[in-house]
Amino acid sequence: MASRREPGTAAPVAAEIPVKQVQIDGLVVLKIIKHYQEEGHGSEVVQGVLLGLVVDDRLEITNCFPFPQHTEEDADFDEVQYQMEMMRSLRHVNIDHLHVGWYQSTYYGTFVSRALLDSQFSYQHAIEESVVLIYDPIKTAQGSLSLKAYRLTPKLMEVCKEKDFSVEGLKKANIAYEHMFEEVPIVIKNSHLINVLIWELDKKAPVVEKHELLSLSSSNHLEKSLQLLMDRVDEMSQDIVKYNTFLRNASKQQQQKHQYVQRRQQENIQRQSRGEPPLPEEDVSKLFKPPLPPPRMDSLLIAGQIDTYIQNIKEFTSQNLGKLFMAEALQEQAN
């Protein structure tokens, strides 16, 4: 994809250089945050397009624009046409207009889903360097920017191309929930003029002492994360029950097929002993249609989402435990 690379860089060889770092302009981060603040409400997800270019193994995201929110009344709205018109307008004003991925907000880390998998596969299949940025507004509101970049692993890309999500297909590809998404490191970069402006504003702005970060009270973040985790564990349990039911039905059908074949053989032996012609052979697979196995990709996605919740809970509890130990040490020192 030489056309997506910065002019003057070396032409790509036969094998594309994988993206090892994502560099985002600070203005892009502000646009994503503003988009959620204006159109996102609670668990509602906002999405948009990322624009930029590729320099060696670094993906530079220099601009973005949101997908407009439309209702059922806007049935004639064409998202593809909207994106093309936006990129054409940006090209006319000499702004980077190359498509390099998309972004999406998340609700308490809930983003591992079939919709995200299909969308990222479509992007990454068409544009190999594409990434998806996941913005967590709830974590960001607590004082630390939560923005992560993900790509589908080569193994999962091959499975999605083959569209073989059966147990045998996933086992052959050696796919587990750990091998579905790969996180790409993010670096936020501002221009020198922006850095100077931030430095001047920091010098002029009055310093207000805030101690919210040292508060020992636990917010409802942990409670909500545990509730979502339990919901996903219940879904996993139900999926396991469905798969066990499928195995039992498949085993029962195999026994029925075996009994049918034996009974048929015994009837033919009895007919031969009476001098009668044997019964014609029948296709057993037509008589006993195998039960359809449940999709296993859903189980992998649930397991991946459970792992995401666990990592969020682990990060949150480690911060709280650190504050508690620090408070205990200060109290002992005061005594």
Side-chain angles (χ1 to χ4, degrees):
M1 293 188 171
S3 61
R4 305 187 65 81
R5 295 180 178 270
E6 186 183 55
T9 57
V13 293
E16 291 283 350
I17 301 175
V19 174
K20 295 183 180 179
Q21 186 185 78
V22 175
Q23 179 179 300
I24 310 176
D25 284 4
L27 182 60
V28 176
V29 178
L30 294 177
K31 284 184 176 181
I32 294 174
I33 295 174
K34 183 182 178 182
H35 182 199
Y36 178 82
Q37 290 177 346
E38 291 180 347
E39 299 186 5
H41 304 285
S43 60
E44 188 174 351
V45 172
V46 298
Q47 297 176 336
V49 176
L50 301 174
L51 306 174
L53 66 161
V54 181
V55 181
D56 297 330
D57 59 352
R58 185 177 70 253
L59 177 65
E60 296 186 1
I61 301 175
T62 57
N63 205 350
C64 69
F65 61 86
F67 287 141
Q69 296 281 358
H70 54 275
T71 60
E72 296 179 355
E73 299 177 356
D74 304 329
D76 298 334
F77 180 77
D78 189 348
E79 289 189 357
V80 177
Q81 184 65 25
Y82 168 77
Q83 294 182 43
M84 296 301 295
E85 291 179 358
M86 284 293 297
M87 289 188 287
R88 191 179 300 113
S89 301
L90 292 172
R91 184 175 66 234
H92 289 163
V93 294
N94 199 24
I95 296 178
D96 291 334
H97 61 280
L98 298 179
H99 211 153
V100 294
W102 60 297
Y103 68 84
Q104 173 183 306
S105 65
T106 181
Y107 180 69
Y108 285 98
T110 305
F111 65 90
V112 182
S113 63
R114 190 60 181 267
L116 182 133
L117 173 65
D118 294 340
S119 297
Q120 181 58 22
F121 171 73
S122 300
Y123 275 91
Q124 206 164 322
H125 182 66
I127 308 168
E128 190 171 355
E129 301 90 351
S130 294
V131 298
V132 53
L133 288 182
I134 302 297
Y135 167 65
D136 192 337
I138 297 176
K139 266 190 178 180
T140 303
Q142 294 177 352
S144 60
L145 176 65
S146 179
L147 194 66
K148 295 184 178 181
Y150 291 97
R151 287 169 48 83
L152 300 185
T153 60
K155 287 184 178 181
L156 187 57
M157 287 293 295
E158 291 298 325
V159 172
C160 293
K161 288 178 184 178
E162 298 293 333
K163 296 183 179 179
D164 184 9
F165 302 122
S166 62
V167 178
E168 293 76 12
L170 296 177
K171 187 176 180 180
K172 180 181 178 181
N174 193 21
I175 287 288
Y177 70 89
E178 304 97 332
H179 309 140
M180 296 176 62
F181 297 93
E182 57 182 1
E183 185 176 353
V184 186
I186 290 180
V187 176
I188 299 177
K189 184 179 180 181
N190 293 316
S191 65
H192 298 304
L193 289 176
I194 295 296
N195 289 330
V196 172
L197 176 62
I198 293 174
W199 180 79
E200 288 186 355
L201 292 176
D202 184 59
K203 295 287 287 182
K204 295 179 180 179
V207 178
V208 180
E209 295 185 1
K210 294 184 178 181
H211 304 285
E212 287 85 353
L213 297 178
L214 298 178
S215 175
L216 299 181
S217 61
S218 177
S219 64
N220 60 350
H221 184 276
L222 180 59
E223 179 183 354
K224 187 63 177 178
S225 298
L226 288 173
Q227 181 182 353
L228 292 171
L229 176 60
M230 288 188 293
D231 293 342
R232 289 298 177 273
V233 172
D234 289 341
E235 290 182 14
M236 177 63 75
S237 177
Q238 294 174 5
D239 194 78
I240 292 174
V241 170
K242 292 180 182 177
Y243 188 67
N244 289 336
T245 303
F246 159 74
L247 292 179
R248 285 196 299 269
N249 293 337
S251 176
K252 186 184 297 183
Q253 191 182 76
Q254 285 295 115
Q255 293 178 358
Q256 292 175 353
K257 290 169 66 174
H258 183 66
Q259 292 174 359
Y260 177 82
V261 171
Q262 285 184 338
R263 188 167 59 251
R264 194 81 170 183
Q265 290 175 352
Q266 292 176 358
E267 290 179 359
N268 285 333
I269 292 174
Q270 292 176 0
R271 292 175 67 90
Q272 288 178 358
S273 64
R274 294 194 301 266
E276 299 176 359
L279 296 173
E281 295 184 359
E282 296 182 359
D283 190 357
V284 182
S285 61
K286 292 183 179 180
L287 295 175
F288 299 93
K289 293 184 179 180
L292 294 176
R296 303 310 298 157
M297 180 56 70
D298 295 341
S299 300
L300 288 180
L301 292 171
I302 294 173
Q305 186 59 69
I306 289 175
D307 182 67
T308 302
Y309 287 146
I310 291 174
Q311 295 301 325
N312 290 341
I313 293 172
K314 180 181 176 182
E315 180 181 351
F316 183 79
T317 53
S318 63
Q319 294 175 357
N320 276 9
L321 286 175
K323 289 190 291 185
L324 290 175
F325 280 117
M326 182 177 64
E328 181 182 9
L330 291 174
Q331 185 177 7
E332 290 179 354
Q333 185 178 6
N335 295 333

